[in-house]
Amino acid sequence: LREQLDAAATALREHDPVDGDVLHDVRTNVKKARAAIRLARGDVGRGVASHANDEVRQVNRSLAEARDADAVLECLDRLHTAAEDDVERDAVTAVRGAVAGRRTAAEALTRSRARGAAATLERTAEWLERVPSHADGWSALAVGFEREYRRGRRAYLGLHDESTAEDLHTWRRRVKDLWYHQRLLRELWPEAQKPIRSAAKELASSLGDDHDLAGLRIV
């Protein structure tokens, strides 16, 4: 958890501007940190986990606007690569130019916002280290692991033919939690967990493509 929060805070402080690949990596660090917090729910306690998760979630939301603008352009770049002929490539190029031209200064991550986000992540990491443990061994992780798996299963079983992009995005978040948790716990049963990690990673990637395309349709 500290590794992910420190990596995100360092990137926010050291890069100016914070955009493109750097911003993507920062948000990935923050998402992994949130997954670790949810996993440790039985260790740090429900109240502490909820508060820490809210703090880190607010940081990710503050970064989302700038990142979403870049994600739309990256989605168009992938569509350009996948185009089957010049007509399709020209059409994607035209759309990309129009989208890029509509980007505003508000979508950029300002230096003050970046430093504010870094400070929040550093403060959260520091006070979490002072929280006494509420459980030992598997009991420290079982509550969080089971809770997030149940949430993911409910999200999946709730899908239907009329499910929205937001419904799929909700399921995607739980799938990524499963992937991150299996990676953290991979030494428990490596041969059994490896195919679960691989499947979760592939599913999260497919759902991510769907989310990017849905975002492009809105734009």
Side-chain angles (χ1 to χ4, degrees), residues 83-111:
E84 297 183 353
D85 54 45
D86 290 341
V87 174
E88 289 187 358
R89 279 187 286 273
D90 290 344
V92 173
T93 298
V95 173
R96 192 188 191 285
V99 172
R102 287 167 49 190
R103 295 183 64 184
T104 67
E107 292 169 340
L109 184 63
T110 63
R111 193 69 186 139

Side-chain angles (χ1 to χ4, degrees), residues 181-201:
H181 291 170
Q182 290 288 346
R183 290 173 63 184
L184 286 169
L185 303 172
R186 61 185 178 275
E187 296 302 325
L188 292 178
W189 194 2
E191 63 272 23
Q193 291 171 268
K194 185 175 181 179
I196 297 176
R197 292 201 312 273
S198 298
K201 179 180 179 180

